[in-house]
Amino acid sequence: MNDDSIKLMSLLEELEDLITSSSKMPFSEKGIIDLDVAQKIIEDIRANLPRDIQQARWLDQERDRIISDAKKEYNRMINEAKDQVEYLVNNNNIYKDAQKRADALLKEAESHANYMKYRSYEYIDQLLYDMQTDIAGVGSSYIDPMTDYFNQMLANINAKVNQNRQEMKTLAERVQLGEQVPAAQPEEVSE
């Protein structure tokens, strides 16, 4: 596990501690946490996200730049072809040859522009595929274990609440039968 992963796990544990140690509202399972502390931890988590996730914005900008460059190159070649056609049209002696050359240049420019678009889309697709693979790795390395941990924690809490309900039902039945029931002492909730 690298330093970024250790820092990220540490921040997640800090957030979990903040949540689990929060004061409980009376007659509710809801807790009260310090929003400033929680916000600071979340900002630290964002700052320590894996580099691949932070580069997502860069990839979007890079894609736009490549497409813009391809458009500029396409427009330059089209203008060049138009200029060539105009020049050849002005020289009547070679009008037919000029028309053929202009068409060829236009076709070549369109072909080159399409090739540039195709290559840029291929490049961006590969970058996005690599990022998708890295994000899937982040999910299986960090998010899935954290989700499993939270699910287990919730299952333990639910089991404890169910146990308390059963005890309350037993005490209620004993009271209903007229038995003497000692006053219940609050029990410490274990993590």
Side-chain angles (χ1 to χ4, degrees):
M1 192 178 285
N2 63 29
D3 290 341
D4 290 339
S5 300
I6 293 170
K7 179 68 176 173
L8 188 59
M9 291 304 290
S10 173
L11 289 166
L12 289 171
E13 287 172 5
E14 188 177 334
L15 183 58
E16 180 183 2
D17 289 344
L18 178 67
I19 292 169
T20 57
S21 66
S22 66
S23 301
K24 300 292 183 214
M25 294 177 65
F27 308 109
S28 172
E29 288 298 316
K30 296 185 178 181
I32 301 171
I33 63 170
D34 185 335
L35 292 178
D36 291 335
V37 173
Q39 184 65 37
K40 174 68 173 112
I41 293 170
I42 290 170
E43 287 171 6
D44 288 346
I45 289 172
R46 281 193 184 118
N48 286 283
L49 283 174
R51 199 173 128 204
D52 292 335
I53 293 173
Q54 293 176 358
Q55 288 181 344
R57 183 172 178 202
W58 176 84
L59 285 174
D60 189 46
Q61 293 170 343
E62 184 67 10
R63 180 200 58 174
D64 291 344
R65 185 192 63 77
I66 290 170
I67 291 171
S68 174
D69 288 350
K71 285 179 181 177
K72 286 176 186 175
E73 179 67 14
Y74 171 79
N75 288 334
R76 184 191 66 75
M77 292 182 81
I78 292 295
N79 288 335
E80 212 175 84
K82 286 179 181 178
D83 291 346
Q84 184 68 25
V85 167
E86 189 177 319
Y87 170 77
L88 294 174
V89 167
N90 289 335
N91 295 308
N92 284 332
N93 297 339
I94 52 173
Y95 175 75
K96 287 183 181 180
D97 288 339
Q99 186 65 42
K100 287 179 186 177
R101 177 114 171 95
D103 291 343
L105 282 173
L106 186 58
K107 228 178 212 179
E108 181 183 341
E110 288 173 351
S111 176
H112 184 70
N114 285 336
Y115 175 76
M116 293 289 289
K117 285 181 189 177
Y118 171 76
R119 292 297 295 166
S120 65
Y121 291 150
E122 262 188 345
Y123 172 72
I124 291 169
D125 179 58
Q126 183 61 45
L127 289 175
L128 292 172
Y129 174 80
D130 292 344
M131 185 189 329
Q132 189 177 27
T133 301
D134 292 341
I135 288 171
V138 168
S140 63
S141 297
Y142 301 106
I143 306 301
D144 292 348
M146 185 173 58
T147 300
D148 292 343
Y149 175 77
F150 284 133
N151 285 338
Q152 182 62 44
M153 183 176 67
L154 291 173
N156 290 342
I157 291 170
N158 189 39
K160 186 66 175 174
V161 168
N162 193 45
Q163 177 186 355
N164 289 339
R165 285 185 65 218
Q166 294 304 318
E167 288 176 16
M168 291 300 108
K169 285 180 183 179
T170 301
L171 290 173
E173 287 172 2
R174 287 178 59 190
V175 167
Q176 191 173 22
L177 294 173
E179 294 179 22
Q180 189 69 4
V181 178
Q185 298 296 320
E187 185 177 315
E188 292 284 326
V189 176
S190 61
E191 303 287 322

